[in-house]
Amino acid sequence: MDWPLIVALAVLTSLVIIGFAFHVWIETRRAVRRSMEMMERMEAQMVCTLEDTRKLIETSQSLIGDIQRSLNAAEGFIQAIQTTGEASASLSKSIKGISGVLSNSITEARITLQNEHDTVRNLIAMTTMGVELWHKWQSRKPSKLASHTNEQ
């Protein structure tokens, strides 16, 4: 066998393997570099996302505080409405009671007025009869006087 040929083939094979390894090493470095760049972009995006999330949380907390204050204010308003409703119901009951008393009073007054009206009517009738009797009596009286004067 030819030793120089074997050595040449071994050297050539070693050069091909070294060249291939060098090419793989360069491609691996490029891939690692691209991966690092992508990770840096992702990190920057995550930082932005975290900042946006922090701002969103602060805004949400502020909004929740505003809502809580509004609910507290509304609770006072609702309690005032409830108190007003209760007062209105109490006033309504009082008005119904007063209305009942007034209705009874008006009914009693109507009955009393009717009785008084009947009494006044009777009094007027009696007065009229008394006046008529007085006139009759007065009209009879002069005729008695005239008859006494004629007799004398």
Side-chain angles (χ1 to χ4, degrees), residues 46-84:
M46 287 181 77
V47 167
C48 288
T49 302
L50 286 173
E51 182 63 25
D52 290 345
T53 303
R54 185 188 61 75
K55 287 178 183 177
L56 179 62
I57 289 171
E58 288 175 358
T59 304
S60 297
Q61 287 174 340
S62 174
L63 181 61
I64 288 171
D66 290 345
I67 290 171
Q68 185 66 38
R69 285 188 291 277
S70 296
L71 287 175
N72 289 340
E75 184 177 331
F77 181 69
I78 289 170
Q79 287 176 349
I81 288 174
Q82 183 178 3
T83 303
T84 302

PDB file of all heavy atoms in Angstrom, residues 46-84:
ATOM      1  N   MET A  46     -41.105  41.903  27.058  1.00  0.00           N
ATOM      2  CA  MET A  46     -41.599  41.533  28.387  1.00  0.00           C
ATOM      3  C   MET A  46     -41.517  42.718  29.337  1.00  0.00           C
ATOM      4  O   MET A  46     -42.423  42.935  30.149  1.00  0.00           O
ATOM      5  CB  MET A  46     -40.816  40.340  28.942  1.00  0.00           C
ATOM      6  CG  MET A  46     -41.157  39.031  28.259  1.00  0.00           C
ATOM      7  SD  MET A  46     -40.252  37.659  28.957  1.00  0.00           S
ATOM      8  CE  MET A  46     -41.155  37.398  30.450  1.00  0.00           C
ATOM      9  N   VAL A  47     -40.417  43.497  29.233  1.00  0.00           N
ATOM     10  CA  VAL A  47     -40.283  44.690  30.075  1.00  0.00           C
ATOM     11  C   VAL A  47     -41.414  45.665  29.759  1.00  0.00           C
ATOM     12  O   VAL A  47     -42.051  46.217  30.661  1.00  0.00           O
ATOM     13  CB  VAL A  47     -38.891  45.338  29.894  1.00  0.00           C
ATOM     14  CG1 VAL A  47     -38.849  46.723  30.508  1.00  0.00           C
ATOM     15  CG2 VAL A  47     -37.810  44.453  30.487  1.00  0.00           C
ATOM     16  N   CYS A  48     -41.693  45.853  28.457  1.00  0.00           N
ATOM     17  CA  CYS A  48     -42.799  46.742  28.053  1.00  0.00           C
ATOM     18  C   CYS A  48     -44.127  46.190  28.556  1.00  0.00           C
ATOM     19  O   CYS A  48     -44.973  46.944  29.063  1.00  0.00           O
ATOM     20  CB  CYS A  48     -42.828  46.901  26.539  1.00  0.00           C
ATOM     21  SG  CYS A  48     -41.490  47.906  25.887  1.00  0.00           S
ATOM     22  N   THR A  49     -44.315  44.882  28.406  1.00  0.00           N
ATOM     23  CA  THR A  49     -45.557  44.252  28.869  1.00  0.00           C
ATOM     24  C   THR A  49     -45.696  44.392  30.379  1.00  0.00           C
ATOM     25  O   THR A  49     -46.797  44.693  30.881  1.00  0.00           O
ATOM     26  CB  THR A  49     -45.579  42.758  28.469  1.00  0.00           C
ATOM     27  OG1 THR A  49     -45.444  42.661  27.048  1.00  0.00           O
ATOM     28  CG2 THR A  49     -46.860  42.087  28.895  1.00  0.00           C
ATOM     29  N   LEU A  50     -44.617  44.185  31.112  1.00  0.00           N
ATOM     30  CA  LEU A  50     -44.661  44.347  32.566  1.00  0.00           C
ATOM     31  C   LEU A  50     -45.000  45.787  32.951  1.00  0.00           C
ATOM     32  O   LEU A  50     -45.773  46.028  33.883  1.00  0.00           O
ATOM     33  CB  LEU A  50     -43.331  43.925  33.186  1.00  0.00           C
ATOM     34  CG  LEU A  50     -43.053  42.420  33.236  1.00  0.00           C
ATOM     35  CD1 LEU A  50     -41.634  42.155  33.728  1.00  0.00           C
ATOM     36  CD2 LEU A  50     -44.060  41.723  34.128  1.00  0.00           C
ATOM     37  N   GLU A  51     -44.410  46.749  32.232  1.00  0.00           N
ATOM     38  CA  GLU A  51     -44.699  48.162  32.512  1.00  0.00           C
ATOM     39  C   GLU A  51     -46.169  48.472  32.220  1.00  0.00           C
ATOM     40  O   GLU A  51     -46.846  49.136  33.011  1.00  0.00           O
ATOM     41  CB  GLU A  51     -43.781  49.056  31.680  1.00  0.00           C
ATOM     42  CG  GLU A  51     -43.961  50.542  31.939  1.00  0.00           C
ATOM     43  CD  GLU A  51     -43.627  50.955  33.358  1.00  0.00           C
ATOM     44  OE1 GLU A  51     -42.836  50.270  34.042  1.00  0.00           O
ATOM     45  OE2 GLU A  51     -44.171  51.977  33.810  1.00  0.00           O
ATOM     46  N   ASP A  52     -46.657  47.968  31.083  1.00  0.00           N
ATOM     47  CA  ASP A  52     -48.068  48.162  30.741  1.00  0.00           C
ATOM     48  C   ASP A  52     -48.972  47.493  31.774  1.00  0.00           C
ATOM     49  O   ASP A  52     -50.005  48.059  32.173  1.00  0.00           O
ATOM     50  CB  ASP A  52     -48.370  47.601  29.347  1.00  0.00           C
ATOM     51  CG  ASP A  52     -47.739  48.427  28.231  1.00  0.00           C
ATOM     52  OD1 ASP A  52     -47.314  49.565  28.509  1.00  0.00           O
ATOM     53  OD2 ASP A  52     -47.673  47.926  27.081  1.00  0.00           O
ATOM     54  N   THR A  53     -48.575  46.300  32.216  1.00  0.00           N
ATOM     55  CA  THR A  53     -49.355  45.596  33.235  1.00  0.00           C
ATOM     56  C   THR A  53     -49.366  46.378  34.541  1.00  0.00           C
ATOM     57  O   THR A  53     -50.402  46.492  35.204  1.00  0.00           O
ATOM     58  CB  THR A  53     -48.770  44.184  33.453  1.00  0.00           C
ATOM     59  OG1 THR A  53     -48.764  43.486  32.219  1.00  0.00           O
ATOM     60  CG2 THR A  53     -49.571  43.397  34.465  1.00  0.00           C
ATOM     61  N   ARG A  54     -48.209  46.927  34.933  1.00  0.00           N
ATOM     62  CA  ARG A  54     -48.134  47.729  36.149  1.00  0.00           C
ATOM     63  C   ARG A  54     -49.053  48.939  36.054  1.00  0.00           C
ATOM     64  O   ARG A  54     -49.800  49.254  36.982  1.00  0.00           O
ATOM     65  CB  ARG A  54     -46.689  48.166  36.405  1.00  0.00           C
ATOM     66  CG  ARG A  54     -46.488  48.906  37.731  1.00  0.00           C
ATOM     67  CD  ARG A  54     -45.087  49.497  37.856  1.00  0.00           C
ATOM     68  NE  ARG A  54     -44.782  50.480  36.827  1.00  0.00           N
ATOM     69  CZ  ARG A  54     -45.258  51.737  36.801  1.00  0.00           C
ATOM     70  NH1 ARG A  54     -46.061  52.152  37.739  1.00  0.00           N
ATOM     71  NH2 ARG A  54     -44.907  52.560  35.830  1.00  0.00           N
ATOM     72  N   LYS A  55     -49.007  49.627  34.891  1.00  0.00           N
ATOM     73  CA  LYS A  55     -49.876  50.794  34.687  1.00  0.00           C
ATOM     74  C   LYS A  55     -51.343  50.377  34.734  1.00  0.00           C
ATOM     75  O   LYS A  55     -52.184  51.080  35.304  1.00  0.00           O
ATOM     76  CB  LYS A  55     -49.554  51.465  33.354  1.00  0.00           C
ATOM     77  CG  LYS A  55     -48.249  52.215  33.350  1.00  0.00           C
ATOM     78  CD  LYS A  55     -47.973  52.826  31.986  1.00  0.00           C
ATOM     79  CE  LYS A  55     -46.628  53.532  31.941  1.00  0.00           C
ATOM     80  NZ  LYS A  55     -46.337  54.059  30.611  1.00  0.00           N
ATOM     81  N   LEU A  56     -51.669  49.231  34.115  1.00  0.00           N
ATOM     82  CA  LEU A  56     -53.046  48.733  34.122  1.00  0.00           C
ATOM     83  C   LEU A  56     -53.503  48.424  35.543  1.00  0.00           C
ATOM     84  O   LEU A  56     -54.632  48.758  35.926  1.00  0.00           O
ATOM     85  CB  LEU A  56     -53.155  47.484  33.239  1.00  0.00           C
ATOM     86  CG  LEU A  56     -54.531  46.825  33.167  1.00  0.00           C
ATOM     87  CD1 LEU A  56     -55.544  47.794  32.562  1.00  0.00           C
ATOM     88  CD2 LEU A  56     -54.464  45.545  32.363  1.00  0.00           C
ATOM     89  N   ILE A  57     -52.615  47.820  36.330  1.00  0.00           N
ATOM     90  CA  ILE A  57     -52.956  47.509  37.726  1.00  0.00           C
ATOM     91  C   ILE A  57     -53.181  48.799  38.511  1.00  0.00           C
ATOM     92  O   ILE A  57     -54.144  48.912  39.280  1.00  0.00           O
ATOM     93  CB  ILE A  57     -51.864  46.629  38.365  1.00  0.00           C
ATOM     94  CG1 ILE A  57     -51.911  45.229  37.770  1.00  0.00           C
ATOM     95  CG2 ILE A  57     -52.012  46.578  39.882  1.00  0.00           C
ATOM     96  CD1 ILE A  57     -50.753  44.338  38.173  1.00  0.00           C
ATOM     97  N   GLU A  58     -52.322  49.800  38.315  1.00  0.00           N
ATOM     98  CA  GLU A  58     -52.497  51.086  39.010  1.00  0.00           C
ATOM     99  C   GLU A  58     -53.801  51.749  38.606  1.00  0.00           C
ATOM    100  O   GLU A  58     -54.543  52.250  39.449  1.00  0.00           O
ATOM    101  CB  GLU A  58     -51.314  52.011  38.710  1.00  0.00           C
ATOM    102  CG  GLU A  58     -50.027  51.622  39.386  1.00  0.00           C
ATOM    103  CD  GLU A  58     -48.857  52.500  38.969  1.00  0.00           C
ATOM    104  OE1 GLU A  58     -49.042  53.397  38.116  1.00  0.00           O
ATOM    105  OE2 GLU A  58     -47.753  52.288  39.504  1.00  0.00           O
ATOM    106  N   THR A  59     -54.084  51.730  37.299  1.00  0.00           N
ATOM    107  CA  THR A  59     -55.336  52.320  36.811  1.00  0.00           C
ATOM    108  C   THR A  59     -56.530  51.564  37.365  1.00  0.00           C
ATOM    109  O   THR A  59     -57.521  52.175  37.789  1.00  0.00           O
ATOM    110  CB  THR A  59     -55.364  52.306  35.263  1.00  0.00           C
ATOM    111  OG1 THR A  59     -54.215  52.989  34.771  1.00  0.00           O
ATOM    112  CG2 THR A  59     -56.610  52.970  34.737  1.00  0.00           C
ATOM    113  N   SER A  60     -56.433  50.233  37.390  1.00  0.00           N
ATOM    114  CA  SER A  60     -57.524  49.411  37.927  1.00  0.00           C
ATOM    115  C   SER A  60     -57.742  49.700  39.408  1.00  0.00           C
ATOM    116  O   SER A  60     -58.888  49.817  39.859  1.00  0.00           O
ATOM    117  CB  SER A  60     -57.220  47.923  37.731  1.00  0.00           C
ATOM    118  OG  SER A  60     -57.146  47.602  36.367  1.00  0.00           O
ATOM    119  N   GLN A  61     -56.654  49.838  40.158  1.00  0.00           N
ATOM    120  CA  GLN A  61     -56.780  50.145  41.583  1.00  0.00           C
ATOM    121  C   GLN A  61     -57.420  51.512  41.782  1.00  0.00           C
ATOM    122  O   GLN A  61     -58.274  51.688  42.660  1.00  0.00           O
ATOM    123  CB  GLN A  61     -55.422  50.075  42.266  1.00  0.00           C
ATOM    124  CG  GLN A  61     -54.903  48.668  42.436  1.00  0.00           C
ATOM    125  CD  GLN A  61     -53.490  48.619  42.995  1.00  0.00           C
ATOM    126  OE1 GLN A  61     -52.750  49.602  42.924  1.00  0.00           O
ATOM    127  NE2 GLN A  61     -53.111  47.480  43.560  1.00  0.00           N
ATOM    128  N   SER A  62     -57.017  52.466  40.967  1.00  0.00           N
ATOM    129  CA  SER A  62     -57.613  53.802  41.055  1.00  0.00           C
ATOM    130  C   SER A  62     -59.101  53.746  40.720  1.00  0.00           C
ATOM    131  O   SER A  62     -59.930  54.363  41.397  1.00  0.00           O
ATOM    132  CB  SER A  62     -56.881  54.748  40.099  1.00  0.00           C
ATOM    133  OG  SER A  62     -57.511  56.004  40.065  1.00  0.00           O
ATOM    134  N   LEU A  63     -59.425  53.007  39.669  1.00  0.00           N
ATOM    135  CA  LEU A  63     -60.828  52.863  39.265  1.00  0.00           C
ATOM    136  C   LEU A  63     -61.639  52.161  40.342  1.00  0.00           C
ATOM    137  O   LEU A  63     -62.758  52.582  40.651  1.00  0.00           O
ATOM    138  CB  LEU A  63     -60.904  52.088  37.940  1.00  0.00           C
ATOM    139  CG  LEU A  63     -62.291  51.869  37.355  1.00  0.00           C
ATOM    140  CD1 LEU A  63     -62.954  53.212  37.046  1.00  0.00           C
ATOM    141  CD2 LEU A  63     -62.197  51.029  36.095  1.00  0.00           C
ATOM    142  N   ILE A  64     -61.050  51.120  40.934  1.00  0.00           N
ATOM    143  CA  ILE A  64     -61.745  50.411  42.016  1.00  0.00           C
ATOM    144  C   ILE A  64     -61.973  51.350  43.196  1.00  0.00           C
ATOM    145  O   ILE A  64     -63.040  51.341  43.812  1.00  0.00           O
ATOM    146  CB  ILE A  64     -60.950  49.153  42.423  1.00  0.00           C
ATOM    147  CG1 ILE A  64     -61.057  48.091  41.329  1.00  0.00           C
ATOM    148  CG2 ILE A  64     -61.433  48.604  43.759  1.00  0.00           C
ATOM    149  CD1 ILE A  64     -60.135  46.908  41.520  1.00  0.00           C
ATOM    150  N   GLY A  65     -60.983  52.199  43.500  1.00  0.00           N
ATOM    151  CA  GLY A  65     -61.159  53.190  44.571  1.00  0.00           C
ATOM    152  C   GLY A  65     -62.280  54.168  44.250  1.00  0.00           C
ATOM    153  O   GLY A  65     -63.106  54.478  45.108  1.00  0.00           O
ATOM    154  N   ASP A  66     -62.315  54.642  42.996  1.00  0.00           N
ATOM    155  CA  ASP A  66     -63.390  55.552  42.581  1.00  0.00           C
ATOM    156  C   ASP A  66     -64.744  54.865  42.691  1.00  0.00           C
ATOM    157  O   ASP A  66     -65.727  55.466  43.161  1.00  0.00           O
ATOM    158  CB  ASP A  66     -63.170  56.031  41.143  1.00  0.00           C
ATOM    159  CG  ASP A  66     -61.990  56.981  41.019  1.00  0.00           C
ATOM    160  OD1 ASP A  66     -61.521  57.487  42.064  1.00  0.00           O
ATOM    161  OD2 ASP A  66     -61.535  57.212  39.874  1.00  0.00           O
ATOM    162  N   ILE A  67     -64.809  53.617  42.243  1.00  0.00           N
ATOM    163  CA  ILE A  67     -66.072  52.871  42.315  1.00  0.00           C
ATOM    164  C   ILE A  67     -66.489  52.687  43.768  1.00  0.00           C
ATOM    165  O   ILE A  67     -67.667  52.848  44.110  1.00  0.00           O
ATOM    166  CB  ILE A  67     -65.941  51.515  41.581  1.00  0.00           C
ATOM    167  CG1 ILE A  67     -65.844  51.736  40.071  1.00  0.00           C
ATOM    168  CG2 ILE A  67     -67.107  50.593  41.910  1.00  0.00           C
ATOM    169  CD1 ILE A  67     -65.497  50.499  39.281  1.00  0.00           C
ATOM    170  N   GLN A  68     -65.523  52.373  44.629  1.00  0.00           N
ATOM    171  CA  GLN A  68     -65.830  52.189  46.053  1.00  0.00           C
ATOM    172  C   GLN A  68     -66.369  53.487  46.655  1.00  0.00           C
ATOM    173  O   GLN A  68     -67.352  53.475  47.397  1.00  0.00           O
ATOM    174  CB  GLN A  68     -64.573  51.730  46.815  1.00  0.00           C
ATOM    175  CG  GLN A  68     -64.821  51.400  48.263  1.00  0.00           C
ATOM    176  CD  GLN A  68     -65.713  50.197  48.423  1.00  0.00           C
ATOM    177  OE1 GLN A  68     -65.622  49.258  47.675  1.00  0.00           O
ATOM    178  NE2 GLN A  68     -66.600  50.246  49.393  1.00  0.00           N
ATOM    179  N   ARG A  69     -65.725  54.611  46.326  1.00  0.00           N
ATOM    180  CA  ARG A  69     -66.215  55.906  46.832  1.00  0.00           C
ATOM    181  C   ARG A  69     -67.616  56.192  46.286  1.00  0.00           C
ATOM    182  O   ARG A  69     -68.479  56.676  47.016  1.00  0.00           O
ATOM    183  CB  ARG A  69     -65.244  57.016  46.459  1.00  0.00           C
ATOM    184  CG  ARG A  69     -63.981  57.024  47.310  1.00  0.00           C
ATOM    185  CD  ARG A  69     -63.114  58.253  47.049  1.00  0.00           C
ATOM    186  NE  ARG A  69     -62.509  58.247  45.723  1.00  0.00           N
ATOM    187  CZ  ARG A  69     -61.394  57.610  45.408  1.00  0.00           C
ATOM    188  NH1 ARG A  69     -60.759  56.921  46.325  1.00  0.00           N
ATOM    189  NH2 ARG A  69     -60.906  57.666  44.184  1.00  0.00           N
ATOM    190  N   SER A  70     -67.836  55.893  45.011  1.00  0.00           N
ATOM    191  CA  SER A  70     -69.156  56.107  44.421  1.00  0.00           C
ATOM    192  C   SER A  70     -70.206  55.230  45.091  1.00  0.00           C
ATOM    193  O   SER A  70     -71.326  55.683  45.366  1.00  0.00           O
ATOM    194  CB  SER A  70     -69.131  55.813  42.918  1.00  0.00           C
ATOM    195  OG  SER A  70     -68.289  56.719  42.251  1.00  0.00           O
ATOM    196  N   LEU A  71     -69.833  53.986  45.363  1.00  0.00           N
ATOM    197  CA  LEU A  71     -70.768  53.086  46.045  1.00  0.00           C
ATOM    198  C   LEU A  71     -71.070  53.582  47.450  1.00  0.00           C
ATOM    199  O   LEU A  71     -72.223  53.518  47.900  1.00  0.00           O
ATOM    200  CB  LEU A  71     -70.203  51.664  46.092  1.00  0.00           C
ATOM    201  CG  LEU A  71     -70.206  50.887  44.777  1.00  0.00           C
ATOM    202  CD1 LEU A  71     -69.504  49.541  44.953  1.00  0.00           C
ATOM    203  CD2 LEU A  71     -71.620  50.675  44.271  1.00  0.00           C
ATOM    204  N   ASN A  72     -70.056  54.084  48.139  1.00  0.00           N
ATOM    205  CA  ASN A  72     -70.284  54.626  49.483  1.00  0.00           C
ATOM    206  C   ASN A  72     -71.217  55.830  49.415  1.00  0.00           C
ATOM    207  O   ASN A  72     -72.113  55.973  50.241  1.00  0.00           O
ATOM    208  CB  ASN A  72     -68.963  55.000  50.148  1.00  0.00           C
ATOM    209  CG  ASN A  72     -68.146  53.783  50.527  1.00  0.00           C
ATOM    210  OD1 ASN A  72     -68.672  52.689  50.641  1.00  0.00           O
ATOM    211  ND2 ASN A  72     -66.847  53.967  50.704  1.00  0.00           N
ATOM    212  N   ALA A  73     -70.992  56.699  48.433  1.00  0.00           N
ATOM    213  CA  ALA A  73     -71.869  57.860  48.260  1.00  0.00           C
ATOM    214  C   ALA A  73     -73.274  57.404  47.891  1.00  0.00           C
ATOM    215  O   ALA A  73     -74.273  57.936  48.398  1.00  0.00           O
ATOM    216  CB  ALA A  73     -71.308  58.796  47.196  1.00  0.00           C
ATOM    217  N   ALA A  74     -73.368  56.424  47.014  1.00  0.00           N
ATOM    218  CA  ALA A  74     -74.687  55.917  46.603  1.00  0.00           C
ATOM    219  C   ALA A  74     -75.392  55.249  47.772  1.00  0.00           C
ATOM    220  O   ALA A  74     -76.612  55.329  47.886  1.00  0.00           O
ATOM    221  CB  ALA A  74     -74.532  54.942  45.434  1.00  0.00           C
ATOM    222  N   GLU A  75     -74.626  54.599  48.641  1.00  0.00           N
ATOM    223  CA  GLU A  75     -75.231  53.948  49.800  1.00  0.00           C
ATOM    224  C   GLU A  75     -75.919  54.979  50.693  1.00  0.00           C
ATOM    225  O   GLU A  75     -77.037  54.780  51.143  1.00  0.00           O
ATOM    226  CB  GLU A  75     -74.164  53.187  50.587  1.00  0.00           C
ATOM    227  CG  GLU A  75     -74.721  52.401  51.757  1.00  0.00           C
ATOM    228  CD  GLU A  75     -73.633  51.609  52.470  1.00  0.00           C
ATOM    229  OE1 GLU A  75     -72.653  51.229  51.828  1.00  0.00           O
ATOM    230  OE2 GLU A  75     -73.796  51.380  53.677  1.00  0.00           O
ATOM    231  N   GLY A  76     -75.249  56.121  50.898  1.00  0.00           N
ATOM    232  CA  GLY A  76     -75.871  57.199  51.678  1.00  0.00           C
ATOM    233  C   GLY A  76     -77.128  57.705  50.999  1.00  0.00           C
ATOM    234  O   GLY A  76     -78.143  57.963  51.654  1.00  0.00           O
ATOM    235  N   PHE A  77     -77.068  57.841  49.682  1.00  0.00           N
ATOM    236  CA  PHE A  77     -78.237  58.302  48.920  1.00  0.00           C
ATOM    237  C   PHE A  77     -79.376  57.291  49.015  1.00  0.00           C
ATOM    238  O   PHE A  77     -80.533  57.672  49.214  1.00  0.00           O
ATOM    239  CB  PHE A  77     -77.837  58.525  47.455  1.00  0.00           C
ATOM    240  CG  PHE A  77     -78.927  59.028  46.579  1.00  0.00           C
ATOM    241  CD1 PHE A  77     -79.430  60.311  46.723  1.00  0.00           C
ATOM    242  CD2 PHE A  77     -79.468  58.211  45.598  1.00  0.00           C
ATOM    243  CE1 PHE A  77     -80.440  60.776  45.910  1.00  0.00           C
ATOM    244  CE2 PHE A  77     -80.484  58.665  44.777  1.00  0.00           C
ATOM    245  CZ  PHE A  77     -80.971  59.950  44.935  1.00  0.00           C
ATOM    246  N   ILE A  78     -79.026  55.998  48.911  1.00  0.00           N
ATOM    247  CA  ILE A  78     -80.050  54.955  48.999  1.00  0.00           C
ATOM    248  C   ILE A  78     -80.667  54.940  50.391  1.00  0.00           C
ATOM    249  O   ILE A  78     -81.883  54.793  50.539  1.00  0.00           O
ATOM    250  CB  ILE A  78     -79.450  53.587  48.623  1.00  0.00           C
ATOM    251  CG1 ILE A  78     -79.162  53.553  47.116  1.00  0.00           C
ATOM    252  CG2 ILE A  78     -80.369  52.442  49.015  1.00  0.00           C
ATOM    253  CD1 ILE A  78     -78.362  52.359  46.655  1.00  0.00           C
ATOM    254  N   GLN A  79     -79.840  55.132  51.424  1.00  0.00           N
ATOM    255  CA  GLN A  79     -80.375  55.193  52.783  1.00  0.00           C
ATOM    256  C   GLN A  79     -81.295  56.400  52.940  1.00  0.00           C
ATOM    257  O   GLN A  79     -82.337  56.310  53.588  1.00  0.00           O
ATOM    258  CB  GLN A  79     -79.238  55.250  53.797  1.00  0.00           C
ATOM    259  CG  GLN A  79     -78.510  53.935  53.961  1.00  0.00           C
ATOM    260  CD  GLN A  79     -77.322  54.032  54.903  1.00  0.00           C
ATOM    261  OE1 GLN A  79     -76.908  55.119  55.276  1.00  0.00           O
ATOM    262  NE2 GLN A  79     -76.772  52.892  55.276  1.00  0.00           N
ATOM    263  N   ALA A  80     -80.917  57.521  52.325  1.00  0.00           N
ATOM    264  CA  ALA A  80     -81.776  58.716  52.387  1.00  0.00           C
ATOM    265  C   ALA A  80     -83.100  58.447  51.682  1.00  0.00           C
ATOM    266  O   ALA A  80     -84.163  58.842  52.176  1.00  0.00           O
ATOM    267  CB  ALA A  80     -81.062  59.905  51.740  1.00  0.00           C
ATOM    268  N   ILE A  81     -83.047  57.761  50.546  1.00  0.00           N
ATOM    269  CA  ILE A  81     -84.285  57.426  49.832  1.00  0.00           C
ATOM    270  C   ILE A  81     -85.141  56.501  50.681  1.00  0.00           C
ATOM    271  O   ILE A  81     -86.364  56.665  50.764  1.00  0.00           O
ATOM    272  CB  ILE A  81     -83.962  56.788  48.460  1.00  0.00           C
ATOM    273  CG1 ILE A  81     -83.416  57.848  47.511  1.00  0.00           C
ATOM    274  CG2 ILE A  81     -85.189  56.133  47.858  1.00  0.00           C
ATOM    275  CD1 ILE A  81     -82.932  57.296  46.190  1.00  0.00           C
ATOM    276  N   GLN A  82     -84.507  55.516  51.326  1.00  0.00           N
ATOM    277  CA  GLN A  82     -85.242  54.588  52.174  1.00  0.00           C
ATOM    278  C   GLN A  82     -85.896  55.337  53.331  1.00  0.00           C
ATOM    279  O   GLN A  82     -87.067  55.119  53.642  1.00  0.00           O
ATOM    280  CB  GLN A  82     -84.303  53.508  52.698  1.00  0.00           C
ATOM    281  CG  GLN A  82     -84.994  52.457  53.535  1.00  0.00           C
ATOM    282  CD  GLN A  82     -84.030  51.375  54.007  1.00  0.00           C
ATOM    283  OE1 GLN A  82     -82.847  51.454  53.751  1.00  0.00           O
ATOM    284  NE2 GLN A  82     -84.555  50.390  54.688  1.00  0.00           N
ATOM    285  N   THR A  83     -85.145  56.242  53.953  1.00  0.00           N
ATOM    286  CA  THR A  83     -85.692  57.034  55.057  1.00  0.00           C
ATOM    287  C   THR A  83     -86.852  57.892  54.569  1.00  0.00           C
ATOM    288  O   THR A  83     -87.886  58.004  55.235  1.00  0.00           O
ATOM    289  CB  THR A  83     -84.590  57.914  55.672  1.00  0.00           C
ATOM    290  OG1 THR A  83     -83.519  57.068  56.093  1.00  0.00           O
ATOM    291  CG2 THR A  83     -85.106  58.712  56.846  1.00  0.00           C
ATOM    292  N   THR A  84     -86.681  58.473  53.375  1.00  0.00           N
ATOM    293  CA  THR A  84     -87.756  59.283  52.799  1.00  0.00           C
ATOM    294  C   THR A  84     -88.990  58.430  52.535  1.00  0.00           C
ATOM    295  O   THR A  84     -90.119  58.858  52.794  1.00  0.00           O
ATOM    296  CB  THR A  84     -87.274  59.938  51.485  1.00  0.00           C
ATOM    297  OG1 THR A  84     -86.117  60.723  51.764  1.00  0.00           O
ATOM    298  CG2 THR A  84     -88.346  60.814  50.885  1.00  0.00           C
TER     299      THR A  84
END
